[in-house]
Every structure is written in structure tokens, then in C-alpha cells.
Amino acid sequence: MSRDHVEPIERSVSDVETPAGAPESAEAPFLDLLARGAAAEAYERPVLLARAEGRPAERIAALEHAKLLALRVRAELEGRRRREAELSALFETAHDLAGLRDVDAVLQAIVQRARSLLSTDVAYLSLNDPVRGDTYMRVTEGSVAARFQQLRLGMGEGLGGLVAQTARPYVTDDYFRDDRFRHTAAIDAGVRDEGLVAILGVPLTLGANVIGVLFAADRRARVFEREQIALLGSFAALAAAAIDTANLLTETRSALAGLERANEIIRDRSAVIERASDVHDRLAELVLRGGGVQDVAAAVSQVLDGTVEFTEAAPGSALEASRAEGHAVQHEDEWIAAVAAGGELLGALVLRGHPGLDPVDQRTLERAAMVTSLLLLARRSAAEAEQRVRGELLDDLLDARDRDPRLLRERASRLHADLDATHVVLAARLDAAAADADQEAAARRRLWSAASHLAATRHGLAAARDGGTVLLLPLAPGDTATELARRTARHLGTAVHEAVTVGASAPVRDLTARPDAVVAGYEEGRRCLDALRLLGRSGDGAAAEDFGFLGLLLAGDRDVAGFVDRTIGQVVAYDERRGTDLVRTLDAYFACGMSPARTKDELHVHVNTVAQRLERVGRLLGEDWHSPARALEIQLALRLHKLSAPLAH
């Protein structure tokens, strides 16, 4: 026995004073009784024998003292043996639960051990039936009355009803005289048949719900000690765990019902659980080593044997259903799990190629969505810090034009942006009017966040400005400012779920060498943005070159040569290559009110020659070249071409 176990015995022994002069041999008979595990009554015999033999009073006093010490040691040992038996029973029950195969056998063992350790006449366990709305006897031990064993009780009736209502243990030393609970004829008759008097009941709880009651009862009046109530409560917790485990097993088995070979299905089920465990380990490893959203999707794809993708644009009804229910939902042949944080919807994980998804795999997809949301939030925090840095750099390009070009270039390089490349300045703004100032501010924040994310992925810059957002994006070879503006409008509109209008500048170059280039480009982009909104093209994107001769008014650098080239450049080039006179013919045609007859007089050629030249013009400029809008632009281009001609010679 360890020192910890000896000290309480020594303290109890020290409470009794040893009479002066008592012989030490007085303890010997009691040590023998302790060694033999004799009954408590046997400890009186040495004292009675000494008195019968007329032993001296000192000897009798010493024996009395030794008897008290021995009884205390015996009581301490009995208590330790009892606690050891209780712990052993709890351990055995937990072991049974760990290897649960038959829930009835486990519950029966729990009731048997509870009855044995509490030394009661009867022990029994009742469970609630949510379908019928009552309580029924599930397991009994020591019961002899058939009616008692078959009792079904209404909710809230009897001692068990009081335990279920309060979720606390209750004990009565005389059942029929206790008025703390509602007596019913059926319950009282069953208890009377069984002959029960003292009853202890403790709740079986799963979470916050009481699912049943575990009872220990005697057929005589009895006071249950606090330790016994706690012990029965421990058995009740194990019983609840057994029932919960059994319910989970029942769900698993019901999911496998109807298949031809049960053993193979069970093995498949185990494989699914192993895959779920595997994906959980993979997801944890991904998070720890800084993996991304696509890494999570790839890991889940391997485990679920399908294709999992993260998207920000899943089918609306399915996405909202998943978000509201907190579970993955099926949409046609796909499974969709919302990726959300708080009240914000971040996107969804979409599983394709796996229309039949069992509950374990479904929970795996849902946990993957949760991990994805955590990754996105972490990335967002880092991205927001980077976005602020990108915004500060663009603000300096727009406002502080006297900054050192070398420092600007270094700051851009740290953000993976190249200020020496050709860029386009884009002005973006939301078109929908917000209901109040808070909603408008929230919408602007969403636009800035989406624009910043786009700028980071395109190695550009973005900043909030003038109630909207300004972006500085590199222009890829073969791309145009118009195409970039339209793509940006679509991308931002999809990201914020609102129409976003984007105006673009003409391509700008040498940003660090030309301090005013970004400012001029932003002003040009804003003018294009305002023109789009005035023309009713909200939600679209465009550059100055898209507005024909109006683009001259919108463009910051008044690109006259570019306008002329876009409008009649093919005709001018044709004349230069072939030595023809199409430009002069066009000019005369418009000067003569678009009359071929008057044009041939002006040019002193045959009317057929005029017709042939105009036919050639139509092939070069398109069939609609003489429509009012095109004709106006062509006349302006002809005038500008004529005005610029002397400068070229």
C-alpha cells in the first residue's frame, strides 16, 4: 500500500489516545482478525473474553483501544475495497462500451453492476419514446413483477418524471408517502407489485436532453448516501454513451440496409470512415503548412473519388439552402457546401461526379467547407494588409507626383508590380443606389475588396477614390483597353453581385518617368465612366476609343492620329499602296451632299468611276459606312486628315 493510502489510516488511528502503560501485545488478536477479514462482530470477542477471564482494567482498556483502532482500519480498508470495486466496475463498463456490439448487453451489465455495488434489491433503466410520447422500461435486474417490467408511463409521471423534468437526481426513502411527484394508478400499481419502498433515480442525458432514467430501489426504507448517488450517476453517463453509440450504429446500419451483401457494405463503410479520417488528417496538415483553397479541394477530391472545386458562383437556391441549414445539399448531380463565416457567404465547395453521397462523406465535404472558410479568412487578413499597401502606392502615384521614381519602382517590385510595363487606368463605380449610408459604405467596401483582389492577381494596384475604385492594371500583349475594361466590369459585378461600370484610359507607359501619366489616365477613365452612365450603359466597360469622335473629347491626350487611323486608316493606306484617289473621292462625295452625280462633276470623272470608288470604300470601311453616325465620324476624320496633311510634308 502506498504512503498516500496509509496516511488516512494513521490519522484515524491517532484520534484515539493510548492509555498509559498499556501493553503492546493488546493489538495482536485484532491484527489477526484484520488479516483474516473477520466480520465486525468478531472484534468484540477479545474484549469480552478478557472481561470473562477477569483481566486487569488496564488490559481491558488496552484491548478496547486496540479494538477501536482495528475497527477504524477495517472500515478504511472496506471503504477502499468498495471504491476499488466501484472503479473496477466503471472501468469494465467503459471497456464494454468501447467494444460495443450489443447495446442491450451493455445496458444489462450496467444495471447489474449498479445493483450489485449499491446493494439494492432492484435496479432498472427506462427510456423516453419520442414517437409515442411516453416512457418505457428498457432493462430490469432483480425485478419479479411482470406488470412492473412492462410499465409504460406518461411523460412527467412518477419519480422518473420528476428526474426527467429537472435533469437532476431524486431519491425517496418511502415512495408512497412522497408527494413531490405525481402519482398515477398505473405506476403505483407496478411499484406495489414489486414491493419497492426506497427509490433513487438519476437522469440519462445526451447534451441538454434527458433520454431516460436509471433507478436503484429497495423493498425497505433506506437512505442513499451521496457517494452512492454519484456512483449511479456515473453508470447513467455510461448508459447514455452506450445509447448514443448505439444510435449512431443504427444510423450507419440503416444507411446500408437493402444492399445484397452486408459484410461487403460494412467493409465499404469502414473504408468511408477511414477516408474521412484520412481527409481530416490531410486538411490539418494543409492548414499547418499554409496550404490554399485549391489544395483543400484537391485533397477532398481524392478522398471522395470525385471532383471538388471552390467557386464563388454556385446555384443560388442550393447555396442559400446549404448556408441556412449548415449542411451540404444536393443540386441535380452535384453536392454543394456553402463556405461561410458568420453572416458572410464566401463561396461554395461543389462536388461533381459523385451523385450518391453517404452521411460520412457528406460530413467530410462539410468539414472541408469549414476549413476552406478558415483559410479564406486567414488569407483575407493577409490580403487586406497587402491591399492597403497597394492602395497607398497608387495613392502616391495619383497625389504625390514628386516621389523618387527609384523608390516607387522598388515599392512596386515588392508587390510584384512592374511600373515600367504598359498599364491602363480604370475607374470603377457601383450603379445601384443604396438604401442608406451604412449600406452604401458596405457596398463600397465590397467593391474595393474585389478590386484589390483583382489587382493582386493581375500584378496591378487598386485604391478607393471619389466614391468608387481606381485600378492600375498591366495591359497584356494583344489586349486592348476596351477589352480590359469590359472584363473588369464583369469580374467586379460578379464579385459584388451588383452592376459595376468601368471607364478605361488609353494605354499609359513609363509611369515612373512620367509623374502625370497616372493622374491623366484616371481623369480620362472617369470621363469614360461618366459617358457610359449618361448613355445608359451602366454595368458596362469601355475606353475612349469606343466612343468614336466623342472619344477625342474624353481622351486626355486628344489622340487625333489614332482617331483618323481607326476611322479611315484603311482607305488612306489603300490610296498609298495603289496610288488611287479614294480619300479625295470620299471628301467630294460628302461635300456634294452624298450625290454621285454632283460628285462626278466635282471630280471630272464618269459617274461609274464614282460608283466603283464608293464600292471600294464600302469594302474597306464596312457596309454601314454611309449610315448617319458613321458618316459623321468619317467626315470628321477626313477634315482632321486634311488639316494634318501639311504637317506631314
Side-chain angles (χ1 to χ4, degrees):
M1 185 179 297
S2 68
R3 182 65 184 171
D4 292 339
H5 289 86
V6 172
E7 286 180 353
I9 300 177
E10 291 178 344
R11 286 196 296 271
S12 63
V13 170
S14 65
D15 291 341
V16 181
E17 298 180 358
T18 304
E24 295 181 359
S25 61
E27 289 84 359
F30 299 106
L31 292 174
D32 181 62
L33 291 172
L34 285 171
R36 290 189 289 109
E41 295 80 4
Y43 288 77
E44 292 291 340
R45 291 174 186 170
V47 179
L48 294 176
L49 183 61
R51 286 175 178 167
E53 292 175 352
R55 296 296 183 92
E58 292 82 0
R59 174 66 177 175
I60 294 174
L63 289 171
E64 285 284 356
H65 172 70
K67 180 191 74 173
L68 292 176
L69 291 177
L71 286 174
R72 289 196 177 188
V73 171
R74 181 183 182 278
E76 184 70 22
L77 291 174
E78 285 294 327
R80 293 184 183 277
R81 279 194 291 270
R82 185 176 63 253
R83 287 192 291 274
E84 182 180 354
E86 293 172 356
L87 291 174
S88 177
L90 289 173
F91 176 79
E92 291 174 0
T93 303
H95 184 269
D96 292 343
L97 182 56
L100 178 66
R101 292 297 179 271
D102 184 350
V103 67
D104 288 329
V106 175
L107 294 180
Q108 187 70 50
I110 289 174
V111 172
Q112 288 175 349
R113 290 165 184 158
R115 179 193 177 202
S116 173
L117 288 176
L118 271 66
S119 300
T120 58
D121 297 323
V122 182
Y124 53 99
L125 184 147
S126 66
L127 290 180
N128 297 344
D129 187 341
V131 177
R132 297 180 56 171
D134 61 4
T135 301
Y136 65 96
M137 202 72 71
R138 176 68 182 270
V139 181
T140 64
E141 177 66 23
S143 172
V144 296
R147 178 159 55 176
F148 179 79
Q149 297 171 12
Q150 298 170 4
L151 275 178
R152 292 194 75 97
L153 317 174
M155 300 299 292
E157 298 176 351
L159 177 64
L162 183 61
V163 174
Q165 285 178 344
T166 61
R168 295 172 53 191
Y170 271 86
V171 61
T172 178
D173 55 2
D174 192 337
Y175 176 84
F176 291 100
R177 293 184 180 180
D178 200 329
D179 58 359
R180 290 178 300 168
F181 47 84
R182 181 157 59 95
H183 290 265
T184 67
I187 301 176
D188 288 355
V191 173
R192 192 174 287 108
D193 286 356
E194 195 63 56
L196 301 181
V197 177
I199 303 176
L200 165 63
V202 296
L204 277 69
T205 58
L206 284 179
N209 300 321
V210 177
I211 63 169
V213 180
L214 178 61
F215 299 89
D218 261 349
R219 296 187 175 93
R220 63 186 185 282
R222 171 178 175 173
V223 176
F224 288 94
E225 299 176 358
R226 180 174 300 178
E227 292 80 4
Q228 294 173 324
I229 297 174
L231 176 62
L232 193 63
S234 299
F235 277 116
L238 291 174
I243 294 168
D244 187 31
T245 303
N247 290 338
L248 292 175
L249 289 176
T250 300
E251 291 178 3
T252 302
R253 289 166 182 160
S254 64
L256 305 176
L259 299 179
E260 296 181 355
R261 294 181 296 179
N263 290 335
E264 292 182 3
I265 295 303
I266 291 174
R267 284 196 295 270
D268 291 342
R269 190 71 174 179
S270 299
V272 170
I273 295 175
E274 290 176 4
R275 290 201 308 273
S277 176
D278 178 54
V279 77
H280 296 161
D281 293 341
R282 293 190 188 185
L283 294 179
E285 182 183 357
L286 284 174
V287 172
L288 291 176
R289 63 181 175 85
V293 173
Q294 300 307 322
D295 296 323
V296 173
V300 180
S301 297
Q302 293 179 1
V303 173
L304 297 185
D305 192 22
T307 301
V308 177
E309 295 179 354
F310 173 77
T311 178
E312 297 178 355
S317 58
L319 187 58
E320 286 300 327
S322 175
R323 177 186 183 183
E325 298 173 9
H327 297 290
V329 299
Q330 189 170 12
H331 177 73
E332 297 177 352
D333 291 335
E334 300 176 343
W335 282 86
I336 296 173
V339 176
E344 184 179 0
L345 186 60
L346 304 176
L349 287 184
V350 180
L351 172 62
R352 300 184 178 91
H354 203 323
L357 198 64
D358 66 19
V360 175
D361 285 346
Q362 182 178 345
R363 285 193 288 272
T364 297
L365 183 62
E366 292 163 359
R367 291 188 178 96
M370 184 185 303
V371 172
T372 301
S373 67
L374 295 176
L375 286 176
L376 288 175
L377 288 178
R379 300 298 185 272
R380 174 186 290 181
S381 298
E384 287 178 350
E386 181 179 342
Q387 288 166 5
R388 285 191 293 271
V389 176
R390 290 179 181 276
E392 291 170 359
L393 177 56
L394 183 52
D395 283 335
D396 286 346
L397 289 171
L398 288 168
D399 299 329
R401 280 161 274 175
D402 57 348
R403 290 294 181 100
D404 185 346
R406 182 180 58 82
L407 294 178
L408 290 175
R409 189 178 290 107
E410 289 179 358
R411 289 170 60 188
S413 177
R414 287 194 293 269
L415 296 171
H416 305 289
D418 181 10
L419 296 184
D420 293 326
T422 301
H423 286 71
V424 173
V425 184
L426 303 110
R429 192 175 302 165
L430 292 167
D431 291 311
D436 53 42
D438 291 339
Q439 291 186 7
E440 182 177 357
R444 289 180 178 178
R445 283 194 298 271
R446 289 197 303 272
L447 176 61
W448 172 78
S449 178
S452 298
H453 177 72
L454 176 62
T457 57
R458 290 290 310 278
H459 305 295
L461 305 174
R465 183 164 289 245
D466 300 325
T469 302
V470 55
L471 300 95
L472 182 66
L473 299 181
L475 188 66
D479 202 0
T480 66
T482 298
E483 293 170 348
L484 181 58
R486 289 175 179 170
R487 286 198 307 272
T488 302
R490 288 195 300 270
H491 181 93
L492 296 180
T494 301
V496 302
H497 305 291
E498 293 184 35
V500 178
T501 306
V502 176
S505 72
V508 293
R509 300 171 181 84
D510 302 325
L511 301 183
T512 54
R514 298 170 54 203
D516 293 334
V518 178
V519 177
Y522 176 52
E523 292 174 353
E524 181 179 334
R526 287 187 61 190
R527 287 194 293 271
C528 289
L529 172 63
D530 293 338
L532 284 171
R533 301 179 75 178
L534 288 173
L535 294 172
R537 292 174 58 185
S538 296
D540 197 0
E545 63 187 25
D546 300 311
F547 293 93
F549 71 90
L550 290 177
L552 293 175
L553 304 177
L554 301 173
D557 57 0
R558 302 293 192 270
D559 185 13
V560 174
F563 171 73
V564 172
D565 183 64
R566 289 192 298 273
T567 307
I568 61 172
Q570 291 182 327
V571 177
V572 174
Y574 189 88
D575 279 350
E576 291 175 352
R577 290 195 310 270
R578 303 292 184 88
T580 54
D581 209 8
L582 298 183
V583 172
R584 181 165 172 264
T585 301
L586 264 179
D587 190 35
Y589 177 69
F590 285 117
C592 295
M594 301 176 69
S595 169
R598 289 199 295 272
T599 303
K600 59 98 175 174
D601 294 335
E602 177 69 21
L603 297 176
H604 305 290
V605 296
H606 195 276
V607 69
N608 290 339
T609 302
V610 174
Q612 291 171 0
R613 292 178 180 178
L614 294 180
E615 183 181 356
R616 172 62 63 183
V617 168
R619 286 198 294 270
L620 292 172
L621 300 183
E623 295 296 331
D624 64 338
W625 69 273
H626 55 278
S627 65
R630 289 289 306 279
L632 179 60
E633 292 185 359
I634 292 170
Q635 290 179 70
L636 180 58
L638 289 169
R639 180 64 57 89
L640 292 172
H641 177 65
K642 183 183 296 185
L643 292 174
S644 62
L647 300 177
H649 294 290

